[in-house]
Amino acid sequence: MANSKYEYVKQYEHDETLLRDCYLVCRVDGRSFHKFSSDHKFSKPNDDRALALMNRCAEEVMKQFSDIFIAIGMSDEFSFVFRKETTLFGRRNNKINSSVVSYFTGHYVLHWSEYMGDTPLQYVPSFDSRLVCYPNETALRHYLSWRQVDCHINNLYNTCFWNMVAAGDSEVKAANILKDTDSGGKNEILFSQFNINYNTLPAMHRKGTILVRTKVPQEVLTPTGETHIRMKNTVITTHEDLISDAFWIKYQLIPLP
Amino acid sequence: MANSKYEYVKQYEHDETLLRDCYLVCRVDGRSFHKFSSDHKFSKPNDDRALALMNRCAEEVMKQFSDIFIAIGMSDEFSFVFRKETTLFGRRNNKINSSVVSYFTGHYVLHWSEYMGDTPLQYVPSFDSRLVCYPNETALRHYLSWRQVDCHINNLYNTCFWNMVAAGDSEVKAANILKDTDSGGKNEILFSQFNINYNTLPAMHRKGTILVRTKVPQEVLTPTGETHIRMKNTVITTHEDLISDAFWIKYQLIPLP
Amino acid sequence: MANSKYEYVKQYEHDETLLRDCYLVCRVDGRSFHKFSSDHKFSKPNDDRALALMNRCAEEVMKQFSDIFIAIGMSDEFSFVFRKETTLFGRRNNKINSSVVSYFTGHYVLHWSEYMGDTPLQYVPSFDSRLVCYPNETALRHYLSWRQVDCHINNLYNTCFWNMVAAGDSEVKAANILKDTDSGGKNEILFSQFNINYNTLPAMHRKGTILVRTKVPQEVLTPTGETHIRMKNTVITTHEDLISDAFWIKYQLIPLP
Amino acid sequence: MANSKYEYVKQYEHDETLLRDCYLVCRVDGRSFHKFSSDHKFSKPNDDRALALMNRCAEEVMKQFSDIFIAIGMSDEFSFVFRKETTLFGRRNNKINSSVVSYFTGHYVLHWSEYMGDTPLQYVPSFDSRLVCYPNETALRHYLSWRQVDCHINNLYNTCFWNMVAAGDSEVKAANILKDTDSGGKNEILFSQFNINYNTLPAMHRKGTILVRTKVPQEVLTPTGETHIRMKNTVITTHEDLISDAFWIKYQLIPLP
Ligand SMILES: Nc1nc2c(ncn2[C@H]2C[C@H](O)[C@@H](COP(=O)(O)OP(=O)(O)OP(=O)(O)O)O2)c(=O)[nH]1
Ligand SMILES: Nc1nc2c(ncn2[C@H]2C[C@H](O)[C@@H](COP(=O)(O)OP(=O)(O)OP(=O)(O)O)O2)c(=O)[nH]1
Ligand SMILES: Nc1nc2c(ncn2[C@H]2C[C@H](O)[C@@H](COP(=O)(O)OP(=O)(O)OP(=O)(O)O)O2)c(=O)[nH]1
Ligand SMILES: Nc1nc2c(ncn2[C@H]2C[C@H](O)[C@@H](COP(=O)(O)OP(=O)(O)OP(=O)(O)O)O2)c(=O)[nH]1
Ligand SMILES: O=P(O)(O)OP(=O)(O)OP(=O)(O)O
Ligand SMILES: O=P(O)(O)OP(=O)(O)OP(=O)(O)O
Ligand SMILES: O=P(O)(O)OP(=O)(O)OP(=O)(O)O
Ligand SMILES: O=P(O)(O)OP(=O)(O)OP(=O)(O)O
Ligand SMILES: [Mg+2]
Ligand SMILES: [Mg+2]
Ligand SMILES: [Mg+2]
Ligand SMILES: [Mg+2]
Ligand SMILES: [Mg+2]
Ligand SMILES: [Mg+2]
Ligand SMILES: [Mg+2]
Ligand SMILES: [Mg+2]
Ligand SMILES: [Mg+2]
Ligand SMILES: [Mg+2]
Ligand SMILES: [Mg+2]
Ligand SMILES: [Mg+2]
């Protein structure tokens, strides 16, 4: 197409190229979901419909961006990890980041009613996102562990808090009690006051949702009518602990020491 | 909330702070809209419903981000200009960029059926976006002029092309004829072969859509029952030429020389 | 020359391209000159030989890099301003910055004995440097004013301090008195106790040294033996106030409002 | 010290923080040393005095910056490798880069006559420098191998070239012959025409100069008059091959697979 004399303004553009050989982590997080979850009456502390919707969006992102090999999500956020070798969009920061968050948001709005039933979407939710480089496996595992531990810490706190409030405590009182209580203390409150064994609560609430790109065996029929087993690319959903080595040995996603 | 030993991984994060005193331009552009527009049978060369949907999304973005004072859009793209002085998100590149594109996309999906009638949304559209710094008024005006000239060039070409195809030329033949034809030649083709005076085609197609934040007079009723005039903040839509000085003198959006 | 399979490692390189249309300011500052000036017995508060050496290095930098049009220096630092339009090294941050500081340092060592007489250079001095973008004339003038005001503040303080110490005050006592004294108070101390009118002290100490690239008239002899006046490019040295408009009107270095 | 209203201009500064956990490589390279070496009549193809001067500067840099654990140099360049964990100047790109190149240049000028004897320094040499992140051991070793292979390729070529020219070939003719000759061919020319076995040429010319920070045993005398062996930090100079594993096994500088 013809050019104009104004086209030189494209030279002001600048998109950082992310360092080679690094895992690229894109973390998407809901903007003002404190208000959004309250306006849409998410159940507390966890709304399984809302979480399922987040997971659905993340699955769609993984289907779309084939260099993502693992993702972890909880609350209003999801982190997507690209292979070290990815050359997606020439590793351009803004281009990758905007494409992921846009695709995620589009799915969130599109599938809202599929997951949230008759709760109408009152206004458009949005997400921010960032891209971070992690140069080695240790740093990457620490990143994912950070998110999973954070999920646990928040869930333990929120489970206590909302049970206490449901039992009649004021929010101020509940917060006051919890601020001086360590992890053991919170487990104790749940057990003694509410007869809840924290470890039997749903894994999705305690560990978040992990999506793993892997191969699964699949029966296929040959033209001659025999069945044989083929390995098929797929994305599976799990809520396992990813902090310990077992997870990484099981899934063989990255080189291990 | 309690911290974990893994929290140090946040130190790998890095978000560029955009240079002070510069206009920040965020340009959102549909990903693979060649295919998307075809899959959803957009009318050619311009689908007024699709353009109205884009304009709606842009208006919502301007309502949400009050530091945007002008925007221009055409085809599958929109450019938003933030005031030089904006301190939105500390001028962090990724944070601003992702928030804008996410919000835009959410609205695109949400309002789809409102604008596209009974054309169902077959899959999620997405957008990429970028942020560019323009350090002075001349550069900014050249940027906006670039987009408006581009709109014109594309529209003139597409109008010829689809008229020729509708009249029986093959797409190959039409393209072949047009590639050796300058702007005057294309006007001539439109006029002599299709009796179309290019300048009478809709301004939105020729100039794109400009959204301007401005103040308009509004009648208000005082407690004592009198009416008086107040200036009210609003966003207006126009399809004027923004290349010449007249536009800038009229709207007084930026310091003029 | 032949390539090797290892050459791909050059792809890890990344040098930021500085935004177009901005003034680029390179500020060079002596590393640990508190110790260096003391080890080399610089006279206090100002050592005119050391300052002359700094100025010489800055002149050489201006001769070498023709896009620098003004520079200001004081103490162990010099700031060099490149034209907005400079395309030196494709505006690459590291390339410009390292070339300037290296050239400056080389001259500092080379000319040491020329300026410092029989004070031997005990070890190698070094400088750090940075490049900063200033997008408009106001910001640039504020930058230069910042350096000149800083020069004044430091010089006024140091002049008081060393006079008080020379008159018998301990360094602790002098510092204590000065910390509660404003600019007027310091002028008063100088005048009443030491009979010094601050404004009559050398302009170089109060205002720093400014180097300006300009044209001066020069007599040239024509082949026919007549003399005529030609404008010749040169770098002049001045210690004028550059904060007020007068300086900028006089030298016409940048567009004025 | 008192502040001024202009101090806000410091907010335009921006120094990139280099990614954690990466080796930082600073490569210093002489500016226009083609001309500089010719103006100062460096012997061809290698001037051992000039190389010794470069090596001396590099040693001084390693003494000054204790996080550098290996360096390799040849011709007019030197590369310095900082430990992955270095926190020098908060890993600020410009600050590290300018400090290294300034210190290197200062030494080059200071020690010139010590190494170059009665060849006077006609003008100031300068160097540019850059900082590059290498996120893992493989990439780092490839980087260092790249420089060593480059040294070899250039030296083989230059040795042939200058021998041919010394033997009466024009420079054009020599270049013409060499451009179609591979490594084996060049070895063959050296051997058959000049009776030179390339592999017996000085290792410094073929492999460059490597500086390694290591510990060496040192005899120390105890107060009671006994001698015992202590490990002492030092920088050693070597010209070994660093491409093969043997080098890395010997020096144990980085984790090996
Ligand atoms: N009730 C309920 N709230 C949820 C659920 N998932 C997320 N939220 C809420 C709890 C938090 O207030 C909020 C997520 O915390 P953030 O730190 O992301 O804060 P927020 O999104 O409000 O602000 P931001 O824009 O991210 O800085 O979302 C849920 O399943 N149920
Ligand atoms: N028929 C029709 N097509 C449109 C309309 N608006 C946009 N399009 C199509 C025409 C172009 O093929 C496409 C926009 O061009 P782009 O350069 O943005 O390309 P595209 O989005 O395919 O690729 P990209 O992902 O941006 O690189 O969208 C419309 O109103 N009607
Ligand atoms: N006596 C004396 N000292 C001077 C003269 N010029 C500069 N200096 C000293 C005074 C200051 O201690 C020092 C410059 O201050 P800086 O803030 O640059 O500190 P310094 O270079 O020590 O540390 P830095 O590495 O820049 O952070 O140099 C002079 O003419 N005479
Ligand atoms: N005769 C001679 N020349 C040398 C010696 N060491 C370096 N040189 C010259 C040969 C090359 O022309 C030059 C180094 O090549 P470069 O690629 O660094 O080029 P140069 O420094 O001219 O340009 P640059 O500013 O780095 O782009 O220095 C030496 O020992 N003897
Ligand atoms: O997308 P194009 O082809 O119009 O051109 P661009 O937007 O400059 O390219 P990219 O989207 O890759 O930045
Ligand atoms: O959003 P927060 O408070 O969880 O913390 P953050 O995401 O690091 O902050 P920001 O969104 O501003 O980057
Ligand atoms: O300087 P060259 O030609 O060896 O190559 P380079 O160093 O990669 O180029 P530049 O100095 O311009 O970065
Ligand atoms: O060096 P200072 O203390 O004058 O202040 P600065 O130069 O802004 O600090 P740095 O040299 O660390 O950038
Ligand atoms: Mg956040
Ligand atoms: Mg949130
Ligand atoms: Mg969150
Ligand atoms: Mg594009
Ligand atoms: Mg597009
Ligand atoms: Mg487009
Ligand atoms: Mg400093
Ligand atoms: Mg200093
Ligand atoms: Mg200083
Ligand atoms: Mg170079
Ligand atoms: Mg060189
Ligand atoms: Mg070189």
Side-chain angles (χ1 to χ4, degrees), chain A residues 2-255:
Chain A
N3 293 347
S4 77
K5 64 169 174 166
Y6 298 118
E7 205 169 354
Y8 83 95
V9 295
K10 216 168 153 34
Q11 296 171 31
Y12 290 81
E13 291 186 11
H14 148 78
D15 199 356
E16 188 191 4
T17 298
L18 296 163
L19 187 62
R20 288 166 61 102
D21 267 5
C22 292
Y23 294 103
L24 305 184
V25 175
C26 180
R27 180 167 76 254
V28 166
D29 184 281
R31 295 195 52 215
S32 304
F33 263 51
H34 182 71
K35 178 167 176 1
F36 183 81
S37 59
S38 155
D39 289 345
H40 291 84
K41 308 222 181 325
F42 283 15
S43 59
K44 289 165 178 168
N46 297 289
D47 188 311
D48 283 335
R49 302 164 310 160
L51 292 174
L53 173 55
M54 288 291 290
N55 295 349
R56 168 65 182 276
C57 297
E59 262 176 73
E60 297 288 348
V61 166
M62 282 191 77
K63 277 187 208 152
Q64 180 72 6
F65 297 95
S66 58
D67 282 346
I68 300 172
F69 65 93
I70 188 170
I72 185 168
M74 69 264 332
S75 180
D76 67 341
E77 69 166 77
F78 240 100
S79 296
F80 301 96
V81 187
F82 290 83
R83 302 185 311 119
K84 268 178 156 173
E85 299 78 14
T86 189
T87 55
L88 180 65
F89 303 134
R91 300 178 78 90
R92 287 162 53 199
N93 184 339
N94 276 328
K95 186 92 177 181
I96 301 175
N97 199 44
S98 60
S99 298
V100 169
V101 76
S102 173
Y103 198 69
F104 190 97
T105 309
H107 278 285
Y108 197 92
V109 175
L110 184 65
H111 301 298
W112 172 268
S113 55
E114 194 177 317
Y115 289 85
M116 298 301 292
D118 45 13
T119 307
L121 184 56
Q122 298 169 38
Y123 53 84
V124 162
S126 69
F127 296 83
D128 67 38
S129 65
R130 69 198 70 201
L131 263 177
V132 190
C133 290
Y134 288 96
N136 56 52
E137 285 69 32
T138 304
L140 176 65
R141 285 182 55 181
H142 285 178
Y143 174 81
L144 295 167
S145 298
W146 175 49
R147 299 321 304 137
Q148 193 167 60
V149 169
D150 213 49
C151 176
H152 160 67
I153 291 171
N154 289 329
N155 188 56
L156 180 55
Y157 180 94
N158 291 335
T159 307
C160 287
F161 182 84
W162 292 114
N163 270 293
M164 290 160 83
V165 170
D169 282 350
S170 74
E171 299 199 3
V172 172
K173 184 179 169 202
N176 251 323
I177 291 170
L178 288 174
K179 84 169 161 25
D180 300 323
T181 318
D182 67 5
S183 174
K186 296 198 188 80
N187 272 296
E188 181 57 26
I189 289 173
L190 284 181
F191 194 67
S192 59
Q193 296 182 27
F194 307 108
N195 202 24
I196 293 174
N197 179 344
Y198 182 72
N199 290 323
T200 62
L201 293 180
M204 180 167 75
H205 300 172
R206 290 181 293 112
K207 303 288 185 189
T209 295
I210 301 167
L211 301 179
V212 174
R213 190 180 302 282
T214 188
K215 288 183 160 58
V216 292
Q218 188 191 37
E219 278 196 0
V220 281
L221 217 59
T222 63
T224 61
E226 291 156 284
T227 62
H228 75 122
I229 302 295
R230 215 184 48 170
M231 297 306 287
K232 197 191 159 233
N233 266 312
T234 192
V235 169
I236 61 159
T237 299
T238 174
H239 312 287
E240 290 162 85
D241 176 293
L242 57 58
I243 299 168
S244 68
D245 292 341
F247 178 90
W248 299 97
I249 291 165
K250 177 174 176 188
Y251 289 106
Q252 295 290 331
L253 299 169
I254 54 174

Side-chain angles (χ1 to χ4, degrees), chain B residues 39-94:
Chain B
D39 288 345
H40 292 85
K41 308 223 180 328
F42 283 17
S43 59
K44 291 164 178 169
N46 296 291
D47 188 312
D48 283 334
R49 303 163 309 160
L51 292 174
L53 173 55
M54 288 291 291
N55 295 349
R56 170 65 183 277
C57 297
E59 262 177 73
E60 298 287 348
V61 166
M62 282 191 76
K63 277 187 209 152
Q64 180 72 6
F65 298 95
S66 59
D67 281 347
I68 300 173
F69 65 92
I70 187 170
I72 183 168
M74 69 266 331
S75 180
D76 67 339
E77 68 167 76
F78 241 100
S79 296
F80 301 96
V81 187
F82 290 83
R83 302 186 311 118
K84 269 179 156 173
E85 299 76 16
T86 187
T87 55
L88 180 65
F89 303 134
R91 298 177 79 90
R92 287 162 52 198
N93 183 340
N94 276 328

Side-chain angles (χ1 to χ4, degrees), chain C residues 130-190:
Chain C
R130 70 198 69 201
L131 262 177
V132 191
C133 290
Y134 288 97
N136 56 53
E137 286 67 33
T138 304
L140 176 65
R141 284 183 56 181
H142 285 178
Y143 175 81
L144 296 167
S145 298
W146 175 49
R147 299 322 304 139
Q148 193 168 60
V149 168
D150 213 49
C151 176
H152 160 68
I153 292 171
N154 289 329
N155 187 55
L156 179 56
Y157 180 94
N158 290 335
T159 307
C160 288
F161 182 83
W162 292 114
N163 271 292
M164 289 160 84
V165 170
D169 281 351
S170 75
E171 299 198 3
V172 172
K173 184 178 170 200
N176 250 323
I177 292 170
L178 289 174
K179 83 168 163 25
D180 299 325
T181 317
D182 66 5
S183 175
K186 295 198 189 78
N187 272 296
E188 180 58 27
I189 289 175
L190 283 181

